[in-house]
């Protein structure tokens, strides 16, 4: 019993250290717990999680596989193992764990939900829809299941969930969390059916309610982007060397970045269809590497200033060591984290071999696509048209700055050009990455790798043009946004 109390205390201390941002201490407490009771599953899982935060992920997959084997008949722990496989970007291994958990406990809605989410990532969209429906049948108030199910395919007048969503929404008055999810699901399905006016009514209702529950202030992000441009100025970035030729066997990161919903997933799938490239999806490794090297900071402005003064090469090495733990075989790998546009200067300093692709899209299409997306995390500016305009204009200034101080260091990729002339733009993208052209890049929809993104369903089909100028269906409703962007000097034609 004493040993159990001891390990419980160590695990609690590890979790508290992680919450406080002391990742090294979190790992040390976890290591001590493993040493105290060798083979303790909870301690092993805690150590694996702490390793991810410290960037020490080498060997984690082998240890996780051993844990999986030891808990193969434990449905609850298999859920935790699956989550850690997802963190290590091994979504098909996560799928295996979730499937086994459901086999062991066939009526457990949590197992159903996790397997549905995993099936979405791996492209089994029909199965995902049925599983989300099963979740809803057992847990009618699992509102995440409604919105995720609606996103899986284009709804039609003959096959949709609109009546069901209306009934549930009417019954959930006064439940803000449920109302937000249901409004977004309804807005999506009504848009698919061409009911644009009613779709926007539900979308605005959901977005307004979501915004009212956030303490976010867009001015803070505007100031942060201005501070990034100030500290990563021309003098500091004069140290950036030209894009280096491939050093022998050195890993080559490809950063695909841009505003959310701007086409980053499409470009990711095109490049990762190349036999020399693997996509790691959306990673937190770069900001975590910055935090590890800079150390604990009292706030983001201090972090920005200190990140410009440390040895950038250290950050680069920490980042490469961290992603090595995902154990992919390809030398070229994609980090498709949209908000890495904040780090372009730091990437250029820390990773001189990195390729950078920046996605651009029609401003109104770009803003509307974000506005209609219910993000699980991030993009808090996207739930109010005024916030969206303010953030968009500030980011335009930051991108103009990167162009001035890092001329030619990254390639702009226009979504509309890519859709209109897929092969020409795809060839430019592949060439910028330093790769030989492969025709298979045009058939990205046959790419069987997992897609951990809000666009997981869309990337399973060939290029389509229906999203170009989608904003025109909401011309009247988006006029406040259009006016704010034009007043800021953005062409919204």
């Amino acid at each position: 019993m004493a040993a159990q109390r001891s390990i419980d205390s160590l695990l609690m201390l590890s979790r508290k250290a992680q919450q406080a941002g002391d990742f090294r201490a979190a790992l040390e407490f976890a290591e001590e717990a493993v040493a105290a009771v060798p083979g303790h599953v909870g301690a092993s899982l805690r150590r694996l999680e702490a390793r991810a935060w410290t960037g020490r992920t080498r060997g984690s997959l082998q240890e996780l596989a051993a844990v999986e084997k030891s808990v193969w008949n434990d449905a609850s722990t298999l859920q935790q193992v699956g989550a850690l496989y997802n963190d290590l970007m091994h979504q098909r291994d996560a799928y295996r764990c979730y499937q086994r958990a459901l086999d062991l406990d066939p009526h457990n809605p949590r197992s159903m939900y996790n397997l549905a989410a995993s099936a979405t990532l791996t492209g089994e969209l029909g199965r995902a829809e049925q599983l989300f429906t099963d979740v809803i049948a057992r847990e009618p108030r699992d509102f995440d299941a409604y919105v995720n199910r609606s996103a899986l395919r284009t709804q039609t007048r003959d096959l949709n969930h609109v009546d069901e969503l209306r009934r549930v929404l009417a019954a959930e008055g006064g439940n803000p969390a449920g109302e937000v999810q249901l409004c977004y699901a309804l807005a999506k399905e009504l848009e698919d059916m061409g009911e644009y006016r009613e779709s926007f009514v539900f979308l605005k209702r959901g977005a307004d309610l979501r915004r009212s529950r956030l303490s976010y202030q867009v001015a803070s992000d505007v100031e942060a982007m201005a501070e990034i441009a100030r500290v990563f100025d021309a003098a500091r970035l004069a140290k950036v060397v030209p894009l280096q030729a491939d050093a022998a066997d050195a890993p080559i990161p490809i950063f695909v970045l841009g505003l959310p919903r701007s086409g980053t997933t499409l470009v990711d799938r095109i490049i990762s269809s190349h036999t020399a490239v693997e996509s790691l999806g959306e990673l937190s490794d770069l900001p975590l590497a910055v935090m590890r090297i800079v150390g604990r900071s009292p706030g983001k402005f201090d972090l920005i200033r200190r990140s410009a003064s440390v040895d950038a090469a250290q950050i680069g090495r920490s980042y490469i060591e961290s992603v090595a733990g995902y154990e992919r075989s390809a030398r070229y790998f994609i980090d498709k984290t949209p908000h890495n546009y904040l780090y372009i200067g730091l990437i250029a300093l820390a990773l001189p071999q990195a390729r950078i692709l920046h996605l651009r899209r029609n401003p109104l299409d770009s803003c509307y696509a974000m506005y209609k997306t219910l993000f699980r995390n991030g993009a808090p500016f996207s739930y109010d048209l005024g916030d969206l305009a303010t953030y968009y204009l500030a980011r335009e200034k930051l991108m103009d700055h990167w162009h001035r101080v890092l001329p030619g260091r990254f390639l702009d990729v226009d979504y509309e050009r890519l859709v209109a002339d897929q092969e020409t733009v795809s060839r430019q993208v592949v060439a910028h990455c330093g790769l030989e052209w492969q025709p298979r890049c045009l058939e990205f929809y046959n790419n069987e790798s997992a897609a951990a993104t809000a666009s997981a369903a869309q990337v399973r089909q060939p290029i389509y043009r229906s999203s170009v100028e989608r904003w025109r269906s909401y011309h009247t409703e988006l006029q406040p946004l259009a006016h704010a962007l034009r007043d800021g000097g953005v062409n919204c034609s």
Side-chain angles (χ1 to χ4, degrees), residues 7-24:
I7 198 167
D8 287 344
S9 298
L10 289 167
L11 295 178
M12 180 184 67
L13 288 168
S14 177
R15 285 189 289 269
K16 285 188 173 181
Q18 183 169 310
Q19 291 167 0
D22 191 347
F23 305 135
R24 182 174 299 177

Side-chain angles (χ1 to χ4, degrees), residues 208-466:
D208 286 351
L209 186 54
R210 170 75 164 158
R211 181 66 181 89
S212 72
R213 294 166 60 82
L214 298 175
S215 59
Y216 172 76
Q217 296 295 322
V218 70
S220 178
D221 275 344
V222 172
E223 293 169 15
M225 284 186 272
E227 184 69 1
I228 290 169
R230 188 186 71 79
V231 300
F232 287 95
D233 59 7
R236 191 173 303 277
L237 293 177
K239 301 175 184 177
V240 171
V241 298
L243 185 63
Q244 289 186 349
D246 297 350
D249 298 325
I252 308 294
I254 301 171
F255 290 91
V256 179
L257 46 82
L259 283 168
R261 315 299 289 153
S262 62
T264 54
T265 301
L266 174 57
V267 170
D268 170 275
R269 302 300 280 185
I270 290 169
I271 305 169
S272 62
S273 295
H274 197 286
T275 55
V277 183
E278 289 184 78
S279 175
L280 298 182
E282 297 186 12
L283 306 176
S284 56
D285 294 75
L286 182 60
L288 285 175
V290 173
M291 292 170 65
R292 286 193 293 270
I293 301 305
V294 170
R296 283 193 283 179
S297 182
K300 64 182 176 183
F301 291 96
D302 178 72
L303 181 65
I304 290 167
R305 288 187 285 271
R306 291 171 63 189
S307 70
S309 61
V310 299
D311 179 5
Q314 273 191 283
I315 294 174
R317 288 191 294 270
S318 179
Y319 172 80
I320 292 296
E321 173 66 19
S322 178
V323 298
Y326 301 140
E327 297 190 15
R328 300 292 185 173
S329 58
R331 184 180 175 205
Y332 289 77
F333 67 90
I334 300 172
D335 181 336
K336 191 206 78 70
T337 307
H339 285 93
N340 276 340
Y341 53 75
L342 299 170
Y343 296 90
I344 287 177
L346 191 55
I347 291 169
L349 286 166
L351 296 158
Q353 78 275 30
R355 275 60 172 175
I356 306 172
L357 297 156
H358 170 239
L359 269 293
R360 300 188 301 195
R361 190 177 180 185
N362 173 285
L364 289 175
D365 273 337
S366 181
C367 289
Y368 171 66
M370 289 185 285
Y371 185 64
K372 71 174 182 176
T373 301
L374 182 57
F375 295 96
R376 183 171 294 277
N377 296 299
F381 55 84
S382 65
Y383 301 106
D384 176 86
L385 296 180
D387 286 348
L388 260 171
T390 300
Y391 188 95
Y392 189 96
L393 292 171
R395 199 199 77 103
E396 284 289 284
K397 290 182 181 178
L398 178 61
M399 292 310 304
D400 288 344
H401 170 75
W402 293 139
H403 277 291
R404 284 194 302 273
V405 298
L406 292 168
R409 185 61 181 79
F410 57 94
L411 178 69
D412 287 317
V413 182
D414 291 307
Y415 175 77
E416 289 78 13
R417 278 196 62 230
L418 175 58
V419 169
D421 191 356
Q422 178 186 356
E423 181 169 352
T424 298
V425 178
S426 296
R427 283 179 176 273
Q428 291 170 351
V429 164
V430 170
H432 181 77
C433 294
L435 298 163
E436 296 292 328
W437 173 250
Q438 291 182 353
R440 61 187 288 132
C441 294
L442 297 177
E443 298 179 349
F444 62 89
Y445 46 87
N446 291 326
N447 187 334
E448 295 183 354
S449 62
T453 170
S455 305
Q458 292 94 318
V459 296
R460 304 292 177 181
Q461 54 187 303
I463 276 185
Y464 52 89
R465 294 180 170 81
S466 59

